[in-house]
């Protein structure tokens, strides 16, 4: 393949507008966007107020330098998307010094068109809500919240000769047939990821990952697929949702040691509220209450609006005999409307056993 020039070229990513947005504190929140690529923060947008119709004009441009020698390479552009995180800035309360924020959702922009000869393209990317985000409930049934994005380079990164002489493999997963029973749509919807092993020069296998869809029902086949996919990956940050799904399956099957190990790997490389929550649950089930509280506190620091985090904090406090904290955690859990009825019943049973923890007693 013809050598790519080593001169650095600027890749610009512009988020022009967001659609069907809303926040934790109402339908017209103050928001901003953070752009990241290759584990580097490219910048934050100005703080923009969402209109009553749900739109926000960001006109936010960030950029990075494409430099094959000693910088961002073609391989990076092929395998790594741009992450766009939409965050709500909460109104300041009395005597509050520091600004508080909550993540609403995240979108990804695939840069593969730049390796197909395009010097610019425009796309509308879906904004995927984080768990507990108000974006989980769309403003209108016909639309999903999204971002309008433009990508631009001054000139094509590859010439026609380079593209024709290249060996870029592009795989599109259109549909799956004769799938196992675990994929039958029964029960609550769940994220799934498909892994396809692709040998490279016969030396090493690499997975190709597809990150959309739903997986339901029995998880035995899914667990085996997740375990096999993880065995091919070194960097957990690129496998965040795989670790979350595998950890959850271990919890559901009461394999708590495996769940703890899985969530710990994710917490070390790609920490989030959900990874710390999973670790906290696993430790609680193993009766490792100090470790459980530490993990749940980390989860709570990242997202204080997750009802399940407060639920398990209440359980820990009930177990160790801290009445006031148990009641406070329980109040927050009720305020945030915990949806897990089995978990709520478990808390009520433990409250009756220890004779405290429920302010209504």
């Amino acid at each position: 393949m013809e050598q790519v020039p080593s001169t650095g070229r600027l890749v610009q990513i512009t988020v022009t507008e967001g659609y069907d947005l809303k926040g934790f504190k109402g339908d017209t929140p103050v928001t901003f966007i953070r752009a990241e690529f290759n584990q580097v923060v490219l910048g934050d947008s100005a703080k923009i107020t969402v209109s009553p119709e749900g739109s926000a004009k960001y006109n936010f441009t960030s950029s990075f330098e494409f430099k094959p020698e000693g910088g961002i390479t073609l391989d990076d552009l092929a395998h790594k998307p741009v992450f766009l995180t939409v965050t709500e800035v909460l109104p300041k309360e009395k005597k509050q010094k520091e600004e508080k924020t909550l993540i609403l959702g995240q979108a990804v922009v695939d840069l593969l068109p730049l390796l197909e000869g395009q010097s610019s393209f425009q796309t509308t990317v879906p904004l995927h809500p984080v768990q507990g985000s108000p974006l989980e409930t769309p403003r209108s049934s016909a639309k999903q919240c999204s971002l309008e994005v433009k990508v631009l380079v001054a000139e094509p990164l590859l010439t026609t000769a380079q593209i024709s002489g290249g060996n870029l493999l592009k795989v599109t997963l259109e549909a799956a047939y004769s799938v196992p029973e675990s994929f039958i749509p029964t029960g609550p919807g769940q994220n799934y990821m498909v892994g396809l092993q692709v040998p490279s020069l016969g030396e090493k296998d690499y997975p190709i990952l597809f990150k959309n869809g739903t997986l339901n029902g029995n998880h035995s086949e899914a667990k085996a697929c997740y375990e096999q996919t993880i065995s091919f990956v070194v960097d957990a940050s690129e496998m965040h949702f795989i670790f979350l799904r595998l950890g959850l399956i271990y919890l559901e099957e009461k394999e708590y040691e495996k769940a703890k190990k899985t969530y710990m790997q994710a917490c070390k490389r790609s920490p989030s509220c959900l990874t710390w929550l999973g670790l906290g649950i696993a430790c609680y089930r193993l009766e490792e209450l100090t470790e459980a509280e530490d993990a749940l506190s980390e989860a709570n620091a990242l997202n204080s609006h997750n009802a399940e985090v407060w639920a398990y904090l209440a359980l820990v406090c009930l177990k160790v005999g801290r009445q006031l904290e148990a009641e406070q955690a329980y109040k927050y859990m009720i305020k945030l409307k915990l949806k897990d009825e089995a978990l709520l019943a478990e808390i009520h049973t433990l409250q009756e056993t220890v004779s405290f923890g429920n302010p209504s007693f």
Side-chain angles (χ1 to χ4, degrees):
M1 181 175 179
E2 182 182 342
Q3 186 175 3
V4 178
S6 60
T7 305
R9 278 171 280 181
L10 206 63
V11 178
Q12 293 184 327
I13 302 97
T14 300
V15 182
T16 57
E17 195 164 357
Y19 304 104
D20 295 287
L21 304 174
K22 61 180 178 178
F24 288 92
K25 296 296 184 179
D27 288 346
T28 58
V30 176
T31 62
F32 69 90
I33 292 178
R34 170 164 293 179
E36 299 173 71
F37 180 72
N38 197 28
Q39 299 184 341
V40 174
V41 175
L42 304 180
D44 292 344
S45 73
K47 296 170 185 175
I48 303 296
T49 301
V50 175
S51 73
E53 294 74 31
S55 64
K57 296 185 181 297
Y58 293 103
N59 293 319
F60 163 55
T61 299
S62 58
S63 62
F64 62 86
E65 188 178 38
F66 166 69
K67 196 171 185 179
E69 296 182 3
I72 302 298
T73 66
L74 291 173
D75 187 63
D76 292 323
L77 296 181
H79 293 92
K80 300 174 182 179
V82 174
F83 290 93
L84 300 172
T85 304
V86 178
T87 301
E88 178 181 358
V89 181
L90 301 180
K92 281 191 175 182
E93 300 176 355
K94 291 182 179 180
K95 298 182 180 180
Q96 178 182 323
K97 295 181 180 180
E98 296 184 2
E99 195 172 64
K100 291 186 177 181
T101 61
L102 287 173
I103 294 176
L104 293 172
Q106 191 174 66
V108 293
V109 180
D110 187 357
L111 299 177
L112 198 58
L114 297 181
L115 304 186
E116 298 172 335
Q118 297 186 40
S119 58
S120 66
F121 64 92
Q122 183 170 336
T123 180
T124 300
V125 292
L127 184 62
H128 302 286
V130 298
Q131 187 176 34
S133 167
L135 298 181
E136 288 183 317
T137 305
R139 293 178 66 115
S140 58
S141 59
K143 294 182 180 179
Q144 178 184 7
C145 46
S146 58
L147 299 176
E148 190 76 22
V149 183
K150 296 179 180 178
V151 179
L152 172 69
V153 291
E155 58 183 24
L157 301 182
L158 297 174
T159 65
T160 303
Q162 289 168 341
I163 295 172
S164 62
N167 59 354
L168 178 66
L169 173 64
K170 182 178 180 180
V171 179
T172 301
L173 181 64
E174 295 288 353
Y177 300 93
S178 300
V179 296
E181 291 183 0
S182 61
F183 282 70
I184 296 175
T186 57
Q190 301 160 356
N191 292 328
Y192 79 86
M193 185 183 291
V194 178
L196 174 64
Q197 302 169 23
V198 179
S200 174
L201 301 178
E203 298 174 357
K204 186 179 179 181
D205 288 340
Y206 295 89
I208 292 180
L209 306 173
F210 305 90
K211 296 188 177 181
N212 294 305
T214 55
L215 172 65
N216 307 277
N218 190 328
H219 302 314
S220 57
E221 293 94 340
K223 181 173 68 173
C225 293
Y226 290 142
E227 290 171 337
Q228 186 176 20
T229 301
I230 285 176
S231 69
F232 287 96
V233 178
V234 176
D235 186 357
S237 66
E238 297 183 2
M239 300 291 291
H240 185 76
F241 292 104
I242 282 282
F243 277 87
L244 288 178
R245 285 297 309 125
L246 181 58
L248 182 57
I249 290 173
Y250 285 143
L251 289 178
E252 291 174 350
E253 297 187 351
K254 298 183 179 181
E255 297 183 72
Y256 299 127
E257 287 287 357
K258 290 184 178 180
K260 177 181 176 182
K261 181 179 178 181
T262 300
Y263 282 118
M264 283 185 69
Q265 291 183 64
C267 286
K268 288 179 181 178
R269 302 284 186 88
S270 181
S272 69
C273 173
L274 297 183
T275 60
W276 286 113
L277 171 59
L279 179 58
I281 294 172
C283 290
Y284 175 79
R285 297 304 179 192
L286 291 168
E287 296 292 330
E288 298 171 357
L289 300 183
T290 300
E291 293 85 346
E293 185 173 10
D294 289 343
L296 293 168
S297 296
E298 292 286 349
N300 188 259
L302 291 172
N303 183 4
S304 61
H305 287 70
N306 188 306
E308 193 173 2
V309 174
W310 286 111
Y312 277 97
L313 282 171
L315 284 172
V316 170
C317 293
L318 289 168
K319 284 270 189 176
V320 299
R322 299 208 300 266
Q323 180 176 347
L324 179 60
E325 293 174 63
E327 291 182 355
Q328 289 176 334
Y330 180 77
K331 286 179 181 178
Y332 279 115
M333 178 204 73
I334 295 298
K335 182 180 179 181
L336 294 170
K337 299 178 181 178
L338 179 70
K339 297 178 181 178
D340 190 331
E341 294 183 2
L343 181 57
L344 183 59
E346 180 181 357
I347 293 173
H348 287 161
T349 299
L350 186 54
Q351 287 172 336
E352 292 175 2
T353 300
V354 300
S355 300
F356 68 82
N358 189 334
S360 65
F361 283 174

